[in-house]
């Protein structure tokens, strides 16, 4: 059975590069109907913290990266590392240096065949003797990694290409312990959109940041899966089920993958657009309640109506409150540009007064009747459509851009539309 692992260290939060590695391992395991094992490499006692561990587990669960075994903790396996180090000492394959244990590295070349990159060779003398157990009795990364991967029967090690330099050191340890070699696959690193090093300013943020910013887990999953792997046919929106069916390490590229925030936002917008509006309302409600835009006993059907207006414009969940805030306020706070816009045409006040009377007579206050009245007034006054639509939108929302005006008016309701038009008349 295919067995792969993801082995984060709880010395910091889980970032994009790490979670993409977890995702590739997860897809590989699910495609092969194998096992995805979670191992926590927590031997750095000084830097490992419970808060990081909790957040890592939460991030993996949020993205749907469920594990079949674990989490296993290296801190609970120290006796095994010591036992094997002592065995190597007894066999004269390692030597003591104070409290540390050092592996004698044979003076010979090392090589392995990478699933993605083919044969990789290291000349003799490329690295020196390797520390297995440090003076504080804890194992080094390479030693614990080899011992755990063998003990947990890991068949494929899928990790970032920055670990290529660790591989020959681990090969020497595998050889000394007489452990069979797993297969290795080193996936490309992630760079910024301009091909420079990925930084916080260019997307290298913890996974939790993307959740806080209003990205859907399905969208982030889709985006990350395509960083270095492609299902072919230039497909960009692809379901998790399709990915599982089609994932193959042979289709992972060797070159670095570019993290494009604009593309992530577009993809997130597509997922939001296709999300059921009732489900979307549940995701948005908490933020709206916190902002006191709605009460905890809000009417879901009313919120869904507003959401339907804005779905095509929402790129992140956090966009909604800013786009639709005028729906949840009694009065509009017109900023200086809005006031100037309303005051620039002398006809606006008269048009608003006529429109108020016409709208007041509509019964029931529905889309078709609203549009008919507005277009009738436009024809009557001999003005362009925009001469009515744009000022009315600013009067009702305080914004120059928004959803279709007539749909907007229907959703706001007669009382609020008329009240806001009257409010605008007073400041013109």
């Amino acid at each position: 059975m295919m067995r792969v692992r993801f082995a984060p260290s709880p010395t910091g939060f889980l970032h994009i590069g790490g979670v993409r590695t977890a995702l590739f391992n997860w897809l590989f395991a699910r495609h092969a109907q194998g096992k995805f094992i979670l191992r926590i490499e927590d031997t750095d006692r000084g830097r490992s913290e419970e808060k990081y561990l909790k957040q890592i587990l939460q991030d993996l669960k949020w993205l749907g990266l469920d594990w079949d075994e674990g989490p296993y903790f290296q801190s609970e396996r120290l006796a095994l590392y010591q036992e094997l180090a002592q065995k190597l000492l007894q066999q004269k394959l390692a030597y003591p240096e104070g409290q540390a244990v050092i592996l004698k590295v044979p003076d010979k070349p090392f090589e392995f065949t990478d699933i993605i990159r083919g044969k990789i060779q290291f000349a003799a003398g490329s690295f020196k003797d390797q520390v297995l157990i440090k003076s504080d009795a804890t194992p080094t990364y390479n030693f614990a990694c080899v011992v755990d991967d063998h003990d947990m029967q890991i068949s494929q090690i899928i990790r970032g290409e920055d670990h290529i330099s660790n591989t020959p050191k681990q090969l020497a340890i595998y050889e000394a312990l007489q452990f069979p070699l797993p297969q290795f696959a080193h996936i490309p690193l992630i760079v910024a959109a301009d091909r420079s090093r990925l930084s916080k300013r260019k997307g290298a943020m913890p996974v939790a940041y993307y959740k806080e910013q209003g990205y859907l887990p399905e969208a982030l999953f889709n985006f990350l899966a395509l960083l270095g792997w492609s299902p072919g046919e230039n497909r960009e929106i692809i379901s998790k089920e399709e990915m599982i069916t089609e994932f193959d390490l042979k289709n992972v590229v060797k070159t670095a993958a570019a993290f494009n925030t604009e593309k992530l936002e577009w993809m997130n917008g597509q997922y939001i657009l296709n999300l059921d509006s009732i489900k979307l309302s549940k995701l948005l409600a908490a933020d709206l309640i916190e902002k006191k835009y709605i009460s905890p006993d809000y009417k879901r059907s009313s919120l869904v109506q507003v959401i339907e207006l804005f779905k095509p414009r929402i790129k992140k969940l956090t966009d909604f409150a800013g786009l639709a805030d005028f729906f949840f306020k009694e009065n509009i706070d017109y900023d200086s540009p809005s006031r100037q816009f309303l005051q620039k045409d002398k006809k606006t006040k008269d048009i608003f007064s006529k429109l108020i009377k016409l709208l007041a007579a509509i019964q029931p206050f529905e889309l078709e009747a609203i549009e008919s009245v507005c277009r009738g007034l436009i024809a009557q006054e001999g003005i362009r459509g925009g001469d009515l639509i744009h000022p009315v939108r600013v009067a009702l929302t305080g914004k120059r851009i928004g959803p279709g005006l007539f749909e907007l008016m229907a959703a706001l309701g007669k009382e609020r539309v008329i009240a806001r038009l009257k409010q605008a008349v007073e400041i013109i």
Side-chain angles (χ1 to χ4, degrees):
M1 176 179 285
M2 303 291 194
R3 291 172 61 86
V4 295
R5 48 73 166 177
F6 177 56
S9 175
T11 55
F13 295 115
L14 186 58
H15 282 67
I16 287 300
V19 78
R20 196 273 307 262
T21 298
L23 190 150
F24 275 23
N25 275 278
W26 186 90
L27 283 175
F28 181 89
R30 295 294 173 260
H31 174 80
Q33 296 183 324
K35 298 293 185 182
F36 176 61
I37 290 93
L38 179 61
R39 183 171 76 226
I40 306 299
E41 299 189 338
D42 60 344
T43 57
D44 189 338
R45 298 167 179 169
R47 297 172 57 221
S48 294
E49 293 188 33
E50 184 69 20
K51 67 177 182 180
Y52 296 134
L53 172 62
K54 287 182 178 179
Q55 190 62 57
I56 289 169
L57 298 180
Q58 287 178 18
D59 292 341
L60 293 175
K61 290 176 181 176
W62 179 66
L63 279 169
L65 298 174
D66 55 320
W67 50 92
D68 302 299
E69 293 181 21
Y72 298 113
F73 294 87
Q74 286 188 332
S75 59
E76 298 174 358
R77 299 167 57 81
L78 299 179
L80 177 60
Y81 310 133
Q82 285 288 349
E83 177 187 337
L84 291 173
Q86 290 301 315
K87 179 181 177 181
L88 293 175
L89 282 172
Q90 292 167 8
Q91 295 173 337
K92 307 298 184 183
L93 296 175
Y95 56 91
E97 192 171 276
Q99 299 298 312
V101 178
I102 316 294
L103 177 72
K104 296 177 183 177
V105 174
D107 185 18
K108 67 171 190 175
F110 287 88
E111 70 176 38
F112 69 99
T113 300
D114 190 281
I115 297 173
I116 296 168
R117 300 164 187 279
K119 186 174 288 187
I120 299 178
Q121 298 175 312
F122 298 86
S126 296
F127 54 98
K128 60 184 181 180
D129 290 355
Q130 292 296 296
V131 178
L132 303 179
I133 301 292
K134 294 179 283 188
S135 56
D136 64 358
T138 60
T140 57
Y141 165 77
N142 283 321
F143 185 52
C145 188
V146 169
V147 171
D148 288 342
D149 286 338
H150 170 74
D151 192 58
M152 296 173 188
Q153 301 174 16
I154 303 302
S155 56
Q156 283 81 17
I157 295 175
I158 305 167
R159 57 191 181 188
E161 67 177 21
D162 51 327
H163 282 286
I164 289 177
S165 60
N166 282 322
T167 307
K169 301 168 187 176
Q170 293 176 5
L171 293 177
I173 298 171
Y174 273 105
E175 185 177 288
L177 290 170
Q178 297 184 321
F179 288 166
L181 288 179
Q183 290 182 295
F184 293 92
H186 290 90
I187 59 180
L189 297 182
I190 301 173
V191 296
D194 60 4
R195 311 303 295 183
S196 64
R197 183 179 178 182
L198 197 63
S199 63
K200 286 186 177 180
R201 188 169 58 86
K202 297 178 180 180
M205 301 297 288
V207 173
Y209 165 84
Y210 291 94
K211 182 180 180 181
E212 292 166 1
Q213 289 297 302
Y215 291 94
L216 297 177
E218 299 85 358
L220 186 59
F221 190 107
N222 191 159
F223 177 77
L224 291 174
L226 299 182
L227 289 182
W229 171 76
S230 171
E233 301 176 355
N234 294 317
R235 285 178 291 166
E236 292 186 311
I237 304 298
I238 177 169
S239 71
K240 193 178 291 188
E241 291 72 22
E242 290 175 297
M243 292 182 210
I244 290 170
T245 299
E246 302 185 31
F247 187 79
D248 190 332
L249 285 173
K250 293 178 181 177
N251 293 332
V252 174
V253 299
K254 300 177 185 178
T255 54
F259 187 99
N260 188 321
T261 304
E262 290 183 3
K263 184 173 182 179
L264 172 58
E265 286 195 5
W266 169 82
M267 189 172 287
N268 200 59
Q270 294 300 302
Y271 272 87
I272 288 174
L273 184 61
N274 291 305
L275 186 64
D276 177 77
S277 293
I278 294 177
K279 291 182 179 178
L280 184 55
S281 71
K282 294 176 181 178
L283 295 175
L284 295 170
D287 182 51
L288 298 174
I289 291 171
E290 184 179 341
K291 288 182 167 62
K292 297 184 178 179
Y293 283 172
I294 60 176
S295 62
D297 60 346
Y298 69 96
K299 187 178 180 182
R300 189 175 301 280
S301 59
S302 298
L303 179 56
V304 167
Q305 184 182 19
V306 177
I307 287 171
E308 289 284 357
L309 288 176
F310 288 95
K311 277 179 80 172
R313 301 177 57 82
I314 304 172
K315 301 301 180 188
K316 298 179 290 184
L317 296 179
T318 49
D319 293 343
F320 179 72
L323 291 170
D325 56 350
F326 59 88
F327 265 99
F328 310 106
K329 296 178 178 179
E330 285 298 317
N331 298 303
I332 300 299
D333 298 321
Y334 301 108
D335 58 17
S336 181
S338 296
R339 288 173 176 269
Q340 291 174 11
F341 182 79
L342 289 172
Q343 293 168 347
K344 74 175 184 177
D345 191 333
K346 295 179 181 179
K347 295 181 180 178
T348 299
K349 183 174 183 177
D350 181 54
I351 290 172
F352 276 16
S353 297
K354 292 177 180 178
L355 182 59
I356 289 169
K357 291 179 182 178
L358 292 169
L359 294 174
I362 295 177
Q363 189 66 34
F365 197 73
E366 294 178 346
L367 176 62
E368 188 175 325
I370 294 168
E371 182 172 359
S372 177
V373 161
C374 290
R375 296 204 181 279
L377 183 57
I378 289 168
Q380 177 185 314
E381 296 294 315
I383 58 176
R384 295 175 301 177
D387 293 335
L388 180 140
I389 290 172
H390 297 319
V392 171
R393 177 179 283 113
V394 171
L396 298 181
T397 70
K399 305 175 192 292
R400 294 284 299 274
I401 299 173
L405 178 65
F406 310 126
E407 292 85 353
L408 172 67
M409 294 170 76
L412 276 171
K414 182 194 288 190
E415 290 184 8
R416 285 199 291 177
V417 168
I418 291 175
R420 290 181 185 186
L421 286 172
K422 288 181 177 178
Q423 181 187 350
V425 166
E426 291 179 5
I427 70 165
I428 295 176

